[in-house]
Amino acid sequence: MAAPGTDAPPTTRRLDYLEERWQGRSPERQRRLGAVIPLDGVEVLRGDQRLINFSGNDYLGLARDPRLITAVQAATERWGCGATGSRLVVGSLPEHLALEQELAAFCNREAALLFNSGYQANVSILPTLLDRHCRVYVDRLAHRSLLAGVQASEARWQRYPHNDYDRLEALLRQAPADSRRWIVSETVFSMDGDRADLERLTALARRYDAGLYLDDAHAFGILGPEGSGLATRNPEVDVVVGTFGKACGGFGAFVAGSQRLIDTLINFCPGFIYTTALPPGVVAGLRAAIALLPRLEAERQHLHGLAERLREGLQRLGYDSRSSASAIVPALVGTDARALALAAHLEAHGCLGIPIRPPTVPEGTARLRLTLSAAMQGHHLDQLLTALETWDG
Ligand SMILES: *Cc1c(COP(=O)(O)O)cnc(C)c1O
């Protein structure tokens, strides 16, 4: 049988200009898709090899939780596979409104609003809030969606060196007196696994009357009181975004804040208005996840214990793990070739650690970005540490 696509009709030449794009990218940096088959909450099948998954974001193992699966199935059977419309037309089922109320209560905020993904939230909320009078300061390591949102706005913006609050303060001080200042950051940084200093950020926001927009994607569910994240319950954070694709084991995102903020987004944010609502099953699964979060303290402790053991192990072996303080633990190796070699070595020892290379991370900081899950046992981590120990690269 022919491979898929080989019988496809010839294409036009109209996209040939894209070849230029490829000239700047070396062949070994070409990104490719490969199928991964989840076996349980811990192992995956890649090719014909079983691997312990140290690259996922399912920090609490909720993606496979029977309670979530039952909720997804029941809602799908009752209301169908899709929401059939955008939120402002016919896509707001009682499930959506209930989840938003539950999120607002969980985050101790006036209101919350669902978005279809974290990327879509950031890339569309920021241009809605920022106008040409705004001066925006963005952490250099902030997620691509935050940068894209700021770039798409009419605001003047600039990046500050990662977590360098002295520099941030200097920029805030220099901003013209009649400008509106904004600070944009993550709480847990997705590639280094380190944290922003919320005390300092809120103090700066207060002192310079700056809006504070924080993305809590990698903290929501696993850090903070009841797993509520590092920023969702902090009233000094004006806008907080959380995502459901990480610790909630699902899909989608939300923003929480004042009722006026949420009403403004419902009325003026194109990324909320002009898109189909999340499927009812997805929303029901998320409601189950949010209801569970306060009761998952033991799972969070177990997860943080695993992360601490991995950091200690990496330090003992001489790896730079940056200032990891989350379930994301990078092992920096420098060059692309070393990152690929280490990933291959781990794979030979039954562990999946995806190499992250420039341009996703700065030149010279290629790494394995290792992540942990509460579904793992100590022996899974032992296997990874043994594999790391036996690498002679
Ligand atoms: C994953 C992530 C996003 C994107 O969220 P999706 O729901 O996966 O689109 C946005 N911001 C941060 C910090 C993230 O880690």
Side-chain angles (χ1 to χ4, degrees):
M1 209 176 84
T6 49
D7 291 335
T11 53
T12 71
R13 313 293 314 258
R14 289 175 210 132
L15 299 186
D16 283 2
Y17 69 95
L18 293 177
E19 292 314 309
E20 268 173 44
R21 196 80 52 91
W22 286 91
Q23 264 140 43
R25 175 150 305 182
S26 57
E28 61 274 14
R29 279 202 178 156
Q30 187 179 338
R31 305 167 200 254
R32 283 177 202 281
L33 294 171
V36 169
I37 299 167
L39 296 174
D40 55 30
V42 177
E43 292 194 316
V44 297
L45 202 61
R46 205 162 80 144
D48 50 12
Q49 208 187 349
R50 275 184 99 93
L51 298 167
I52 306 169
N53 180 8
F54 288 102
S55 292
N57 295 320
D58 184 22
Y59 302 128
L60 294 170
L62 289 180
R64 311 283 297 203
D65 191 289
R67 293 163 288 193
L68 272 67
I69 292 172
T70 305
V72 172
Q73 285 172 334
T76 305
E77 270 163 33
R78 192 158 167 204
W79 292 302
C81 296
T84 78
S86 65
R87 290 293 304 281
L88 287 165
V89 184
V90 290
S92 280
L93 278 68
E95 290 292 287
H96 295 83
L97 297 168
L99 175 57
E100 283 168 342
Q101 273 174 11
E102 287 153 7
L103 283 165
F106 185 57
C107 299
N108 203 18
R109 298 278 182 162
E110 284 177 12
L113 189 66
L114 296 175
F115 274 78
N116 288 0
S117 77
Y119 196 99
Q120 186 165 336
N122 288 331
V123 86
S124 59
I125 294 170
L126 283 160
T128 304
L129 301 181
L130 304 174
D131 64 22
R132 65 195 173 82
H133 303 292
C134 294
R135 297 288 170 119
V136 190
Y137 304 101
V138 190
D139 188 288
R140 177 162 299 279
L141 292 192
H143 194 265
R144 181 57 184 261
S145 57
L146 293 166
L147 188 65
V150 170
Q151 283 174 328
S153 79
E154 287 179 4
R156 300 259 290 263
W157 61 275
Q158 161 169 12
R159 296 206 264 187
Y160 61 89
H162 178 50
N163 278 350
D164 185 342
Y165 301 117
D166 292 333
R167 183 80 189 115
L168 172 59
E169 174 154 25
L171 293 169
L172 288 163
R173 201 183 309 120
Q174 286 158 19
D178 62 348
S179 62
R180 267 192 285 282
R181 302 166 175 86
W182 274 90
I183 303 168
V184 174
S185 177
E186 294 178 44
T187 58
V188 167
F189 288 86
S190 54
M191 289 299 141
D192 283 22
D194 61 341
R195 304 186 192 183
D197 184 338
L198 271 279
E199 297 266 335
R200 290 213 55 190
L201 282 176
T202 50
L204 286 173
R206 225 176 301 135
R207 186 169 315 143
Y208 294 94
D209 199 23
L212 189 52
Y213 184 114
L214 294 181
D215 182 337
D216 224 4
H218 287 284
F220 189 71
I222 61 167
L223 295 171
E226 299 186 303
S228 59
L230 295 176
T232 63
R233 291 185 185 176
N234 188 331
E236 298 205 59
V237 180
D238 302 281
V239 186
V240 60
V241 168
T243 64
F244 300 125
K246 314 268 157 72
C248 290
F251 183 71
F254 71 94
V255 56
S258 68
Q259 186 66 54
R260 196 62 175 159
L261 166 72
I262 300 306
D263 288 341
T264 302
L265 295 174
I266 293 171
N267 284 272
F268 299 104
C269 182
F272 174 81
I273 300 169
Y274 299 104
T275 191
T276 303
L278 285 171
V282 169
V283 178
L286 295 172
R287 290 187 68 193
I290 299 301
L292 273 174
L293 284 186
R295 291 187 269 142
L296 300 180
E297 209 47 51
E299 285 79 356
R300 284 188 282 272
Q301 290 309 322
H302 176 58
L303 172 71
H304 299 314
L306 290 172
E308 191 51 39
R309 266 193 64 208
L310 176 55
R311 282 191 288 270
E312 283 165 11
L314 286 170
Q315 195 182 11
R316 191 161 33 81
L317 296 169
Y319 286 95
D320 174 3
S321 291
R322 291 293 155 116
S323 304
S324 162
S326 66
I328 302 165
V329 185
L332 269 67
V333 291
T335 64
D336 289 29
R338 278 171 56 81
L340 292 169
L342 179 54
H345 174 82
L346 293 188
E347 198 166 321
H349 288 75
C351 297
L352 181 62
I354 301 286
I356 308 273
R357 297 171 285 160
T360 302
V361 291
E363 277 307 325
T365 71
R367 66 193 67 188
L368 296 198
R369 175 182 176 274
L370 301 167
T371 53
L372 297 154
S373 164
M376 289 174 182
Q377 303 298 316
H379 70 86
H380 295 114
L381 181 54
D382 293 340
Q383 191 170 328
L384 173 65
L385 288 168
T386 306
L388 285 162
E389 243 162 69
T390 54
W391 191 48
D392 52 11

